């Protein structure tokens, strides 16, 4: 058997099994070949090619400007790097909200042009038609409720969502609607841990939390944030596993010093 045949790909069914057996699901974002390869080889269950690429890769203030073509570029790079995990790609703002036909066309482009395995989109009942059309074409959909960054101008802030009863009740209802429509998983972003726990208990499909407490079936973080590349972003939910900003700064400073002093390259680094 070839080495590649021995690698067993994680699927949406694997995530369902993990929920059933009470094992937690790990998910991280990635946007390029090199990091996707490292993260995949480290054993992650799911890579999300998030529209947070708009922030961390392109430097935009919000996720709204990133285009479908740009998401396809990032996703196809990730697919070339990750051989084992499930790869989910965000449908960007404007690619699915207007109607089911447009949503399906966007999702088909992602699947055909990137080789990824599923799409994610934000919202509840408002996007039900789009969700149903995409799933009816055989494309797995991950839903996303709570703080949905594509609606930042409606919310006005990045504060915790669904603290009030009305919004919490709508979130519970939307979660059931998304499950009923056939979504294979649900991201819960920045909502009270108690609400996330209730939703997780009520749903058969796995929940993946970000700022939603420890009772979700899995967790997701933006890779740049957990590796400490972005020193200005310090929300309470973020755990930094590395201070890459500091380490890169130190390494680059040393390189500059070595070039300027003539210490690099030395004889053994020359032909
Ligand atoms: O775009 C993204 O990175 C996301 C995660 C924060 C869930 O949607």
């Amino acid at each position: 058997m070839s080495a590649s045949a021995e690698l067993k790909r994680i699927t949406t069914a694997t995530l369902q099994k993990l929920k059933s057996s009470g094992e937690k699901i790990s998910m991280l974002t990635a946007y390029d070949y090199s990091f996707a390869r490292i993260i995949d080889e480290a054993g992650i269950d799911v890579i999300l090619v998030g529209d947070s690429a708009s922030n961390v890769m392109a430097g935009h203030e919000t996720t709204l400007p990133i285009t479908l073509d740009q998401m396809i570029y990032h996703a196809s790079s990730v697919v070339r790097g990750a051989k084992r995990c499930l790869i989910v790609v965000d449908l960007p703002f404007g690619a699915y909200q207007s109607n089911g036909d447009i949503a399906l066309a966007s999702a088909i482009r992602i699947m055909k042009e990137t080789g990824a395995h599923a799409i994610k989109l934000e919202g509840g009942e408002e996007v039900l038609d789009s969700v149903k059309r995409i799933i009816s074409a055989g494309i797995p959909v991950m839903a996303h409720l709570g703080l949905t960054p594509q609606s930042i101008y409606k919310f006005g802030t990045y504060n915790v969502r669904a603290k009030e009863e009305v919004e919490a009740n709508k979130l519970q209802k939307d979660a059931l609607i998304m499950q009923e429509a056939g979504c294979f998983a649900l991201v819960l972003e920045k909502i009270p841990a108690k609400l996330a726990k209730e939703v997780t208990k009520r749903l058969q499909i796995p929940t993946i939390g970000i700022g939603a407490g420890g009772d979700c079936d899995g967790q997701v973080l933006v890779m740049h944030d957990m590796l400490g590349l972005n020193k200005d972003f310090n929300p309470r939910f973020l755990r930094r596993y590395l201070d890459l900003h500091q380490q890169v700064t130190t390494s680059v400073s040393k390189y500059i010093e070595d070039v300027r002093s003539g210490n690099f390259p030395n004889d053994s680094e020359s032909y």
Side-chain angles (χ1 to χ4, degrees):
M1 192 190 286
S2 72
S4 61
E6 277 174 40
L7 285 173
K8 206 162 179 297
R9 179 68 82 170
I10 291 174
T11 65
T12 58
T14 319
L15 303 193
Q16 192 58 58
K17 275 192 205 131
L18 289 172
K19 171 157 180 144
S20 305
S21 62
E23 288 169 80
K24 297 279 189 182
I25 298 163
S26 60
M27 175 158 119
L28 273 178
T29 66
Y31 318 95
D32 65 22
Y33 168 82
S34 302
F35 271 115
R37 192 167 166 189
I38 297 171
I39 291 172
D40 185 51
E41 287 175 0
I44 203 82
D45 296 315
V46 187
I47 285 183
L48 171 66
V49 185
D51 61 355
S52 49
S54 181
N55 309 111
V56 298
M57 298 300 287
H60 292 295
E61 208 174 298
T62 73
T63 57
L64 275 68
I66 199 160
T67 65
L68 186 57
D69 283 339
Q70 288 165 340
M71 289 303 297
I72 287 171
Y73 168 78
H74 287 297
S76 45
S77 308
V78 166
V79 167
R80 285 190 287 276
K83 305 289 173 226
R84 188 197 44 81
C85 66
L86 182 77
I87 302 169
V88 182
V89 183
D90 261 336
L91 277 185
F93 179 67
Y96 63 95
Q97 290 91 346
S98 28
N99 64 56
D101 288 343
I102 289 178
L104 179 57
S106 302
I108 287 177
R109 276 201 65 199
I110 288 191
M111 302 301 281
K112 254 191 180 327
E113 296 177 40
T114 72
H117 314 120
I119 63 96
K120 174 167 86 56
L121 49 72
E122 297 180 5
E125 200 167 9
E126 321 76 63
V127 294
L128 181 58
D129 182 40
S130 297
V131 170
K132 282 185 174 163
R133 288 297 302 281
I134 296 169
I135 291 175
S136 72
I139 301 171
V141 174
M142 179 180 274
H144 183 160
L145 297 173
L147 177 64
T148 46
Q150 292 178 14
S151 302
I152 186 57
Y153 292 117
K154 182 177 88 178
F155 298 144
T157 75
Y158 285 100
N159 291 346
V160 176
R161 303 304 314 175
K163 280 163 101 175
E164 307 303 329
E165 202 181 327
V166 175
E167 197 176 327
N169 288 343
K170 174 165 165 43
L171 190 144
Q172 294 258 21
K173 190 172 156 224
D174 280 341
L176 290 171
I177 287 173
M178 289 294 119
Q179 171 171 276
E180 183 69 20
C183 291
F184 71 91
L186 167 65
V187 168
L188 293 171
E189 179 163 353
K190 238 179 161 184
I191 63 169
K194 186 168 169 281
L195 175 61
K197 183 178 180 177
E198 278 166 24
V199 173
T200 301
K201 265 180 103 174
R202 243 174 127 180
L203 292 189
Q204 265 110 50
I205 60 171
T207 61
I208 314 233
I210 173 164
D215 290 307
C216 293
D217 298 305
Q219 297 292 326
V220 57
L221 284 174
V222 169
M223 179 197 73
H224 285 57
D225 301 338
M226 61 85 75
L227 293 181
L229 268 161
N230 182 359
K231 71 179 171 58
D232 303 321
F233 185 62
N234 295 299
R236 175 188 173 131
F237 68 77
L238 176 62
R239 185 179 295 179
R240 284 218 176 84
Y241 288 82
L242 206 58
D243 187 352
L244 214 46
H245 181 274
Q246 189 53 50
Q247 287 181 266
V248 172
T249 305
T250 306
S251 307
V252 172
S253 304
K254 183 81 179 88
Y255 169 72
I256 295 168
E257 198 183 299
D258 287 350
V259 169
R260 288 188 180 152
S261 68
N263 183 38
F264 175 81
N266 61 25
D267 286 350
S268 70
E269 289 157 338
S270 305
Y271 297 99

